[in-house]
Amino acid sequence: GDSVTQMEGPVTLSEEAFLTINCTYTATGYPSLFWYVQYPGEGLQLLLKATKADDKGSNKGFEATYRKETTSFHLEKGSVQVSDSAVYFCALSDRDSNSGYALNFGKGTSLLVTP
Amino acid sequence: DAGVIQSPRHEVTEMGQEVTLRCKPISGHDYLFWYRQTMMRGLELLIYFNNNVPIDDSGMPEDRFSAKMPNASFSTLKIQPSEPRDSAVYFCASTPRGGDTQYFGPGTRLTVL
């Protein structure tokens, strides 16, 4: 079945450091890929998405490129801020699978940015 | 738009009691999802509806769990009887027809003592 694997956390960075959170996926069809962010005590919010190979999603300085050849969708940001501290979830939606429109999430990566 | 609304935000109950969680999706959204989040298992899909009809309930843990969507603006997730291992944060999300972005509610934190 479909699955998402993302790097274990927690990740601790100093402000203005470069961020990479790795995400790889397994899917039978042609999934859409997502990064969601969860701030403490809140629900998940869409950060960015990509729906086909080589698409780049971007938002708030974060970027991720849909790489079909490596089945990856790594999240990057050039200069993190304290306000980026949150849990980041990689997810896929594969309409060709039994789960259809549902999201299949990775375990989440906790990011802490220190001043 | 008020977003997805969930109630209650926090629920503390004793083992054996019935628990009902409620969700109001964004108006006009055709799909509604229930997820459960725990430290051990992460985010798991429990069930989802399309136009008020359950499509996939394979994630519902056992017969103690049931979900309904009597109309387009309301869904419930019921646990009867509740057990301590049901303690988790339960999220509801909705998606418009043809869309792929899910909009999440703030969640209900359930503690079963």
Side-chain angles (χ1 to χ4, degrees), chain A residues 32 34 36 38 41-46 49 51 89 93 95 98-103 105-107, chain B residues 9 31 33 35 37 40-43 45 48 56 91 95 98-107:
Chain A
S32 296
F34 306 82
Y36 277 80
Q38 184 179 29
E42 298 184 11
L44 281 73
Q45 305 173 24
L46 178 68
K49 67 179 181 182
T51 58
F89 293 89
S93 172
R95 308 246 172 120
N98 291 335
S99 58
Y101 284 69
L103 286 169
F105 285 95
K107 295 288 189 186
Chain B
R9 291 294 308 274
Y31 291 86
F33 304 82
Y35 292 92
Q37 184 179 37
M40 292 298 296
R41 301 171 68 92
L43 273 159
L45 175 71
Y48 80 92
D56 181 1
F91 288 104
T95 300
D100 56 11
T101 299
Q102 292 189 15
Y103 297 83
F104 281 76

Side-chain angles (χ1 to χ4, degrees), chain A residues 19-31:
Chain A
L19 169 70
T20 300
I21 300 178
N22 290 336
C23 171
T24 57
Y25 68 90
T26 302
T28 54
Y30 299 93

Side-chain angles (χ1 to χ4, degrees), chain B residues 16-63:
Chain B
Q17 297 298 305
E18 178 180 296
V19 175
T20 300
L21 311 181
R22 297 173 175 80
C23 175
K24 176 179 169 55
I26 294 172
S27 177
H29 283 196
D30 289 346
Y31 291 86
L32 184 140
F33 304 82
W34 283 99
Y35 292 92
R36 178 172 68 175
Q37 184 179 37
T38 62
M39 290 294 291
M40 292 298 296
R41 301 171 68 92
L43 273 159
E44 305 172 279
L45 175 71
L46 298 177
I47 185 171
Y48 80 92
F49 297 82
N50 179 19
N51 289 325
N52 314 337
V53 176
I55 302 300
D56 181 1
D57 66 353
S58 59
M60 295 287 264
E62 49 199 271
D63 291 345

Side-chain angles (χ1 to χ4, degrees), chain A residues 2-115:
Chain A
D2 295 350
S3 66
V4 175
T5 302
Q6 60 182 106
M7 60 187 287
E8 297 273 339
V11 174
T12 302
L13 294 174
S14 298
E15 204 165 24
E16 298 184 2
F18 184 85
L19 169 70
T20 300
I21 300 178
N22 290 336
C23 171
T24 57
Y25 68 90
T26 302
T28 54
Y30 299 93
S32 296
L33 301 174
F34 306 82
W35 278 101
Y36 277 80
V37 59
Q38 184 179 29
Y39 298 102
E42 298 184 11
L44 281 73
Q45 305 173 24
L46 178 68
L47 181 59
L48 53 83
K49 67 179 181 182
T51 58
K52 60 183 188 297
D54 300 325
D55 270 2
K56 177 186 283 188
S58 62
N59 185 25
K60 300 180 182 180
F62 290 89
E63 293 183 340
T65 301
Y66 189 143
R67 301 286 188 199
K68 195 171 188 300
E69 63 276 14
T70 54
T71 62
S72 65
F73 192 55
H74 304 322
L75 182 68
E76 297 182 335
K77 186 175 186 182
S79 176
V80 293
Q81 305 300 311
V82 172
S83 57
D84 294 326
S85 298
V87 180
Y88 292 81
F89 293 89
C90 186
L92 70 80
S93 172
D94 185 355
R95 308 246 172 120
D96 295 326
S97 74
N98 291 335
S99 58
Y101 284 69
L103 286 169
N104 192 327
F105 285 95
K107 295 288 189 186
T109 302
S110 176
L111 170 66
L112 175 64
V113 180
T114 59

